[in-house]
């Protein structure tokens, strides 16, 4: 569990520099790669935001207090309702984030986030280069843990780009024994050819409590210009035999409500207001602004593989675009050379903090998922990280 500290962590409220880099035509790059998995295509640094996919996974925990609330409830359907609210809350930050993409981690890159304010700690690692897979694990003093591996793929479809999550989120409540899985719908970047780009999430978000067999299905509706609808979702919580017991509705960008009586709604979750001038700082929330910061004394606790030490992302965060572009090319070339040297010696890449487990709930064709195998926080405590790969 997160260690107690003598004094609270002082976190920044603003990034070191506002939005940096020229607007590059994403469309021209996409046209050259129609039908390809875009996670394998090299991109100019100016297409990025100064955050990494490993850190993006941690953004899912911005509203972790919803899980804290769920754990305390005695009724299993009430718990499921709040797990649904948590699942929806992870989309809120995307309403301000259509213009740029996160940095793609290097193989073996890690990211940790210790958050005593919210009572959880988080560790993530890029566990596979191709296909690109990120794994993460979070555990809380409030008796829950969360794990997932992200196998997102992107494809260009002309006027839109589709992001397919292709990963399952597992949440365990230690006191009640509940085991939930969350499977997410596709995300679309619209208006690639003309107009203002925006992100939209469409399809079904499915949650199952494998302990009770209760479930929740939320339908994310496609925006309709003529009907004036935007970001809407609606769904139901069902018993083990499929009987609809609860009705949920709302907007993923604003709030989620439960219909507790005819014409009476109870709010489960509300999106936090964005920071002042957020549009000048990549649309980051206050929580996201904290993620890449090296707070006082943290540099002595982190392994060399932590994202905060990645030079191209750090330079870009500080507004040094040309230097960041040069460093991005260098670290990516270093990664290629490292893989080539390992292959020539017949060596396999050793994943440090995660390993594959059989998982009947995963969408992986091999029926396996990456789970945390332990040891990271113990190594952090002693400062003995063993032999570390020099990623950059």
């Amino acid at each position: 569990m997160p260690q107690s500290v003598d004094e609270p962590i002082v976190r920044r409220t603003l990034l070191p520099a506002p939005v940096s880099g020229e607007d590059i035509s994403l469309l021209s790059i996409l046209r050259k790669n129609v039908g390809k998995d875009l996670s394998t295509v090299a991109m100019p640094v100016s297409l990025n935001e100064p955050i990494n996919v490993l850190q993006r996974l941690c953004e899912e925990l911005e509203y972790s207090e919803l899980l804290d609330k769920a754990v305390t409830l005695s009724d299993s359907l009430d718990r499921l309702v709040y797990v649904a609210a948590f699942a929806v809350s992870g989309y809120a930050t995307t309403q301000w984030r259509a213009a740029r993409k996160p940095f793609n981690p290097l193989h073996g890159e890690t990211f940790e986030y210790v958050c005593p304010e919210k009572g959880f700690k988080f560790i993530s690692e890029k566990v596979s280069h191709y296909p690109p897979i990120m794994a993460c694990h979070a555990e809380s003093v409030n008796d829950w843990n969360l794990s997932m591996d992200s196998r997102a793929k992107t494809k260009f479809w002309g006027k839109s780009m589709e992001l397919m999550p292709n990963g399952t989120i597992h949440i365990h409540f230690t006191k009640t024994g509940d085991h939930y899985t969350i499977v997410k719908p596709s995300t679309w970047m619209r208006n690639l050819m003309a107009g203002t780009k925006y992100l939209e999430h469409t399809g079904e978000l499915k949650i199952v409590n494998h302990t009770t067999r209760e479930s929740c299905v939320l339908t994310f509706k496609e925006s309709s210009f003529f009907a004036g609808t935007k970001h809407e979702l609606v769904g139901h919580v069902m018993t083990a035999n499929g009987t609809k017991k609860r009705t949920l509705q709302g907007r993923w960008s604003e709030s989620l409500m439960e219909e507790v009586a005819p014409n009476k709604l109870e709010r489960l979750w509300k999106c936090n207001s964005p920071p002042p001038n957020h549009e000048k700082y990549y649309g980051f929330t206050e929580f996201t602004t904290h993620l890449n910061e090296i707070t006082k004394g943290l540099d002595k606790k982190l392994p060399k593989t932590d994202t905060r030490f990645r030079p191209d992302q750090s330079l870009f965060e500080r507004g040094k675009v040309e230097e960041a572009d040069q460093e991005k090319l260098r670290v990516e070339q270093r990664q290629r050379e490292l893989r080539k040297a390992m292959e020539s010696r017949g060596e396999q890449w050793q994943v440090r903090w995660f390993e594959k487990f059989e998982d009947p709930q995963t969408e992986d064709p091999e029926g396996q998922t990456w789970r945390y195998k332990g040891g990271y926080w113990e190594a952090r405590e002693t400062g003995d990280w063993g032999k570390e790969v020099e990623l950059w």
Side-chain angles (χ1 to χ4, degrees), residues 66-86:
L66 293 167
L67 294 181
D68 299 342
K69 170 74 172 178
V71 167
T72 67
L73 302 173
S74 58
D75 185 283
S76 61
L77 289 179
D78 287 339
R79 294 196 296 272
L80 182 53
V81 162
Y82 273 90
V83 171
F86 170 76

Side-chain angles (χ1 to χ4, degrees), residues 1-5 113-122 139-142 377:
M1 293 295 99
Q3 298 176 356
S4 60
V5 291
Y113 191 66
V114 177
C115 190
E117 308 97 300
K118 292 179 175 286
F120 74 80
K121 59 183 180 182
F122 170 95
E139 50 192 273
S140 170
V141 296
N142 297 307
W377 303 109

Side-chain angles (χ1 to χ4, degrees), residues 200-250:
E200 184 172 45
H201 315 288
T202 63
E204 290 186 339
L205 185 150
K206 301 176 182 178
I207 308 170
V208 177
N209 182 338
H210 296 277
T211 305
T212 65
R213 307 309 302 172
E214 294 158 344
S215 62
C216 175
V217 177
L218 296 172
T219 300
F220 286 62
K221 297 181 179 181
E222 188 170 343
S223 296
S224 171
F225 175 78
F226 298 101
T229 58
K230 191 177 182 182
H231 303 170
E232 289 189 353
L233 58 93
V234 64
H236 300 278
V237 173
M238 291 155 284
T239 62
N241 62 11
T243 304
K244 294 178 181 178
K245 285 292 187 180
R246 309 285 183 88
T247 298
L248 307 178
Q249 66 180 65

Side-chain angles (χ1 to χ4, degrees), residues 32 49 67 76 79 129 155 165 167 194 203 210 213 217 252 264 288 298 308 316 337 350 376 380:
K32 297 176 184 177
E49 54 187 8
L67 294 181
S76 61
R79 294 196 296 272
H129 173 67
K155 284 196 175 180
H210 296 277
R213 307 309 302 172
V217 177
W252 55 260
K264 184 178 180 182
T288 306
L298 185 60
R308 296 174 184 85
F316 189 63
E337 291 172 353
Q350 297 298 315
Y376 180 89
R380 187 184 194 269

Side-chain angles (χ1 to χ4, degrees), residues 47-71:
L47 284 176
N48 290 57
E49 54 187 8
I51 199 172
N52 175 297
V53 176
L54 298 175
Q55 295 166 318
R56 181 66 189 88
L57 296 179
C58 190
E59 285 189 90
E60 299 279 343
L61 296 170
E62 178 165 357
Y63 297 92
S64 62
E65 60 270 15
L66 293 167
L67 294 181
D68 299 342
K69 170 74 172 178
V71 167

